[in-house]
Amino acid sequence: MRGGSILTHIQRRKHFNEREASIVVKDIASALDFLHTKGIAHRDLKPENILCEFAEQISPVKICDFDLGSGVKLSSACTPISTPELMTPNILFESIQEGKYEFPEKDWAHISAGAKDLICKLLVRDAKDRLSAGQVLQHPWVQGNAPERRLPTPQLLQRNSSTKDLTDFAAEAIAFNRQLSQQDEEMRGEQEAIIKTVCSMRLSPPSNSKLAKRRAKTQAEKISQWQLPISTMSVYDGTS
């Protein structure tokens, strides 16, 4: 793989077009489809782990670095162990977990509807409804309908330090999100304890209220039923 990582190509060339991007996506989807049919999840897919076969062109590409890959059921492969900024939607950040995103006109006006459609079908919260790698291969944008529109590279990816910056930011966000979750659990525990305490208390009405007087009367009547009047009791004096 003499071309190095695809991230290196992005930083060096600055610009690609949608047709080239669709070819790369097709190569990646083909590799993932093969892995998934074998019950293997890569779990750390990112530009650094996609290698170009040739130095002078972007494709073909191959996936490398299977340190986090494992033979697991794909439906359960959702533990947060991958690179933070490239995790799947069901793992990282509240807005992503809720499936909230947008295509800002400034950056996406020149992107084709086909590319946006594929992205929308991949950014689905529920993994069961998200496109599989095999379904990605059947998408029209991947099947050769992508236009040769120029794709400017975001400034973040043009800097060599971009990956570290994104990783540091994501790590801080994860820690903050985890802290909030722990606080929520503690608050829920306190609320449950308060509710249990209240439910276990026997509340008494004010002594001068009608309810209190009625309870006192009822209790007195119950007591009188068990006490016989003195006049009706026979006194045993020890004689027959």
Side-chain angles (χ1 to χ4, degrees):
M1 305 304 293
R2 299 183 298 276
S5 73
I6 197 170
L7 180 62
T8 302
H9 279 257
I10 292 173
Q11 292 170 341
R12 184 175 65 246
R13 280 187 50 181
K14 309 298 184 190
H15 299 282
F16 292 94
N17 61 53
E18 282 197 33
R19 181 66 57 82
E20 289 175 308
S22 70
I23 294 173
V24 171
V25 170
K26 185 176 183 178
D27 286 349
I28 296 172
S30 296
L32 291 178
D33 186 45
F34 174 80
L35 290 174
H36 294 171
T37 59
K38 303 297 182 182
I40 299 173
H42 187 280
R43 301 204 288 187
D44 195 18
L45 197 61
K46 55 186 177 181
E48 296 94 317
N49 290 340
I50 300 172
L51 301 182
C52 301
E53 187 171 346
F54 304 108
E56 66 277 6
Q57 63 187 55
I58 192 69
S59 62
V61 299
K62 298 184 185 298
I63 298 174
C64 70
D65 193 355
F66 285 77
D67 289 346
L68 298 180
S70 62
V72 296
K73 292 182 178 179
L74 298 180
S75 59
S76 63
C78 58
T79 50
I81 63 172
S82 62
T83 303
E85 72 274 13
L86 298 168
M87 289 181 183
T88 54
N90 50 309
I91 295 178
L92 190 62
F93 305 143
E94 182 177 355
S95 60
I96 298 177
Q97 289 177 341
E98 294 177 358
K100 296 180 179 178
Y101 62 91
E102 58 184 10
F103 297 110
E105 189 70 14
K106 175 178 175 293
D107 302 308
W108 290 86
H110 61 286
I111 304 299
S112 70
K116 293 176 183 177
D117 179 72
L118 176 59
I119 292 171
C120 289
K121 291 176 179 177
L122 289 173
L123 294 181
V124 175
R125 173 62 182 89
D126 193 336
K128 297 189 299 295
D129 298 327
R130 195 182 307 150
L131 289 186
S132 66
Q135 290 171 326
V136 169
L137 292 172
Q138 302 304 317
H139 193 276
W141 188 82
V142 177
Q143 284 287 319
N145 292 340
E148 294 185 3
R149 293 182 179 178
R150 188 179 181 185
L151 297 174
T153 300
Q155 291 295 322
L156 273 177
L157 288 180
Q158 291 182 23
R159 301 201 317 267
N160 291 330
S161 61
S162 63
T163 301
K164 183 180 184 302
D165 293 341
L166 288 171
T167 302
D168 291 344
F169 168 77
E172 293 177 3
I174 291 174
F176 181 71
N177 191 47
R178 185 181 297 114
Q179 185 178 6
L180 289 179
S181 298
Q182 291 174 348
Q183 291 177 353
D184 289 343
E185 291 179 1
E186 292 174 359
M187 290 181 64
R188 283 196 297 270
E190 292 176 358
Q191 292 173 348
E192 290 176 359
I194 293 174
I195 292 173
K196 289 181 179 179
T197 300
V198 172
C199 290
S200 63
M201 293 173 60
R202 298 188 63 183
L203 301 179
S204 298
S207 59
N208 60 348
S209 67
K210 291 183 179 180
L211 178 60
K213 293 178 180 179
R214 187 162 59 249
R215 285 185 178 178
K217 181 180 179 181
T218 302
Q219 186 175 6
E221 292 175 350
K222 288 182 178 180
I223 293 175
S224 64
Q225 292 176 0
W226 293 97
Q227 292 180 333
L228 294 176
I230 296 295
S231 59
T232 61
M233 292 179 64
S234 60
V235 179
Y236 178 65
D237 60 359
T239 62
S240 58

